[in-house]
Amino acid sequence: MLKEFLINIASLRNETYEFQFHIDKMFFENFGKELVQDGNLDVHLSLIKHEGFLETTFKIKGSVKLICDRSLDEFDYPLDLNNPVIFKFAEEAEEISEEVIHLRRDADTLNAGQYIYDMIGSALPMKRLHPKFEQENDENGDGKIIYSSATKDEDTIDPRWEKLKKLK
């Protein structure tokens, strides 16, 4: 766990705070290299502490290095995220949604690094294709995949249906 991403929320007064973080290879090594091995991102975290909750906005901008699923070439994938999250104090810690998270009332720190890592992970594409394959992937330009098959003659009726028509 990287200490620079731990925010001591117990000592904060009810006002606005700004935090700046830089994400690089060491960050991904600490949180796990399953999603991303390297990156160069800047994070601006705006935090407003209220009596019973924290109102935050994570602005993440930069790029991560991904491996192409097709060619296994490394490429830079740009990210520009703006994620608001409300942290409410409750009896038990639980994630209600991507925008609302419950923290234990006795929590004295917020691990911003874990939330940043999760936001980066959820912004990555399922299919990771190098930009040189983008034209191939979307030939029609509309994002639709068209499958073709041999069509039967419209006038030919399946003999089973023909027998059922006689039952009428």
Side-chain angles (χ1 to χ4, degrees), residues 14-32:
N14 291 348
E15 56 186 66
T16 302
Y17 298 89
E18 305 290 329
F19 299 94
Q20 299 288 336
F21 304 106
H22 181 72
I23 307 293
D24 57 12
K25 187 174 191 161
M26 188 176 79
F27 175 83
F28 293 109
E29 286 175 355
N30 280 302
F31 282 97

Side-chain angles (χ1 to χ4, degrees), residues 1 3 11 14 35-36 82-83 86 91-92 102 122:
M1 183 182 311
K3 290 183 181 180
S11 66
N14 291 348
L35 294 175
V36 179
N82 188 5
N83 294 11
I86 304 274
E91 295 302 316
E92 293 297 320
H102 283 177
S122 64

Side-chain angles (χ1 to χ4, degrees), residues 26-129:
M26 188 176 79
F27 175 83
F28 293 109
E29 286 175 355
N30 280 302
F31 282 97
K33 296 167 101 178
E34 296 84 31
L35 294 175
V36 179
Q37 285 76 33
D38 196 1
N40 185 18
L41 300 144
D42 290 312
V43 179
H44 176 84
L45 170 59
S46 174
L47 183 147
I48 304 170
K49 184 173 183 188
H50 300 278
E51 195 58 43
F53 65 98
L54 304 171
E55 183 180 346
T56 64
T57 302
F58 291 82
K59 293 181 181 179
I60 304 169
K61 189 172 179 98
S63 65
V64 293
K65 294 198 180 297
L66 298 179
I67 304 295
C68 177
D69 291 338
R70 186 178 294 174
S71 66
L72 299 179
D73 291 338
E74 190 175 87
F75 67 97
D76 287 330
Y77 184 78
L79 288 175
D80 190 1
L81 308 174
N82 188 5
N83 294 11
V85 179
I86 304 274
F87 293 95
K88 292 184 178 182
F89 295 107
E91 295 302 316
E92 293 297 320
E94 76 177 299
E95 187 171 328
I96 305 300
S97 68
E98 288 184 10
E99 295 86 22
V100 179
I101 298 171
H102 283 177
L103 296 175
R104 291 182 51 89
R105 289 191 196 286
D106 60 352
D108 49 345
T109 59
L110 175 71
N111 184 356
Q114 184 62 54
Y115 296 105
I116 293 167
Y117 181 77
D118 292 343
M119 289 174 192
I120 292 170
S122 64
L124 298 177
M126 293 293 287
K127 189 175 184 181
R128 300 173 183 191
L129 286 179

Side-chain angles (χ1 to χ4, degrees), residues 66-67 90 133 137 141 163 167:
L66 298 179
I67 304 295
F133 296 118
N137 192 36
K163 290 180 181 176
L167 292 175

